[in-house]
Amino acid sequence: MTILITGGAGYIGSITAAKLIQSGYKVIILDNLEKGHQETLDQIKQVAGDFEFIKVDLRDKEKLELALGEVDFDAVIHFAAYIEVGRSVKEPKEFMENNFGGAKNLIEVIVKKGVKKFLFSSTAAVYGHPEELPIPETAKLKPINPYGESKVRVEKLLEKYADFGKLDSIRLRYFNPAGSLNGLIGEKHEPETHLIPLILKAGKGERDKLYIFGNDYETKDGTPIRDYIHIMDLVEAHIFALKHLEKISGTDVFNVGTGTGYTVKEVFETVKEVTRLDVPYEIVERREGDSKELVADPSKIEAVLGWKAQYNLRDIIQSAWEFEKTQ
Ligand code: UFG
């Protein structure tokens, strides 16, 4: 089976590509290398083996159609997107054009080609300020930032395509991925905005300190709560989802999280314990677009796909640290 992976030079996409190649799938990676790295592509080859690579921007529909006209594949995993919540608030148009416009082009082109299976990388950010915790998939979609809104729009588009019998899809709503593939491939965002790599960088002295965005939330220590998931658990969820996607027609949606939440301060303290680093920090203003608490109810994915997270927060941090030490 051949899988087209968009955003395969990025963090989640590259590790998924490596895992799929190791599991016997043929992989075609499509990336514009705006945020992804050539070096990451080289690492996939070293770790897992060969794949085809297409450099194209999803916003350029003509070039996309030409490029995809030359290859055959059975399913698509669509990761390519902008991901920084903070930037999305400042540049909503860019986020819509890239995340929604890019996905729409991709879907139109592959449907025209006759491809029927689509696995979509969605996010917990679709829930905004959830009314219910832990959050079930049936919760209202009320994103509070353009990043989340762009993902909701793609989900709705996929529902329409499924209604018309044109494309079967699974939407995976990721909570907070972190960690690495054996310390070899990990988070390398530019700029880095994610909590765990930023704590590690502050501990290494690469940054002056960690800025904690607000300690006046209604949580046990005043800092926001997230459900951190090991990248290898998340990638495994894609393998389970691909198998399910082969069997279903229509569309389905799953949270991918552990069901356990930690505050920013708890993560910070756990990083210090695991790494024995001394990490300077400062409490600053809240970050626009952040919600107080996002914790998954993972019971649907556990029951339907038989997937369950295997790693805990300490494992995640240890794995992220193994990678960060190489940077
Ligand atoms: N945080 C800080 N200081 C920092 C960075 C983060 O205090 O320097 C806090 C945030 O306020 C938040 C928590 O740490 O409470 C986690 O923040 P991240 O930026 O690591 O991740 P988000 O929770 O913002 O995750 C969101 C979406 C995910 C998505 C991700 C992509 O919810 O679905 O952005 O960037 F994958």
Side-chain angles (χ1 to χ4, degrees), residues 83 85 123 176 193-195 198 211-213 224 226 287 290:
I83 60 162
V85 173
T123 168
N176 287 58
T193 62
H194 292 122
L195 181 64
L198 285 175
Y211 294 93
I212 294 183
F213 299 138
R226 295 288 181 274
R287 182 172 66 180
D290 270 353

Side-chain angles (χ1 to χ4, degrees), residues 137-245:
E137 288 84 352
T138 49
K140 280 194 201 120
L141 302 189
K142 285 201 287 189
I144 51 168
N145 52 58
Y147 166 70
E149 176 63 32
S150 70
K151 294 281 181 174
V152 169
R153 289 199 193 170
V154 180
E155 285 207 24
K156 296 222 160 108
L157 186 66
L158 288 171
E159 283 173 353
K160 290 233 167 70
Y161 271 84
D163 285 348
F164 290 118
K166 297 270 188 207
L167 188 65
D168 303 325
S169 59
I170 291 182
R171 296 158 282 144
L172 295 180
R173 294 182 184 149
Y174 311 156
F175 281 67
N176 287 58
S180 69
L181 188 164
N182 298 331
L184 298 170
I185 309 181
E187 263 183 284
K188 225 162 45 173
H189 299 115
E190 279 166 30
E192 188 53 78
T193 62
H194 292 122
L195 181 64
I196 292 176
L198 285 175
I199 304 174
L200 293 169
K201 285 180 196 299
K204 276 165 70 188
E206 200 179 302
R207 306 241 169 169
D208 58 341
K209 54 181 108 159
L210 174 79
Y211 294 93
I212 294 183
F213 299 138
N215 65 351
D216 56 350
Y217 288 88
E218 279 171 38
T219 61
K220 56 183 160 187
D221 60 24
T223 62
I225 296 174
R226 295 288 181 274
D227 182 340
Y228 295 88
I229 171 164
H230 198 301
I231 186 72
M232 298 317 295
D233 273 332
L234 177 61
V235 165
E236 195 67 18
H238 288 76
I239 310 245
F240 281 66
L242 265 183
K243 292 191 175 131
H244 188 61
L245 183 57

Side-chain angles (χ1 to χ4, degrees), residues 240-252:
F240 281 66
L242 265 183
K243 292 191 175 131
H244 188 61
L245 183 57
E246 277 176 52
K247 289 183 275 178
I248 65 161
S249 62
T251 184
D252 209 347

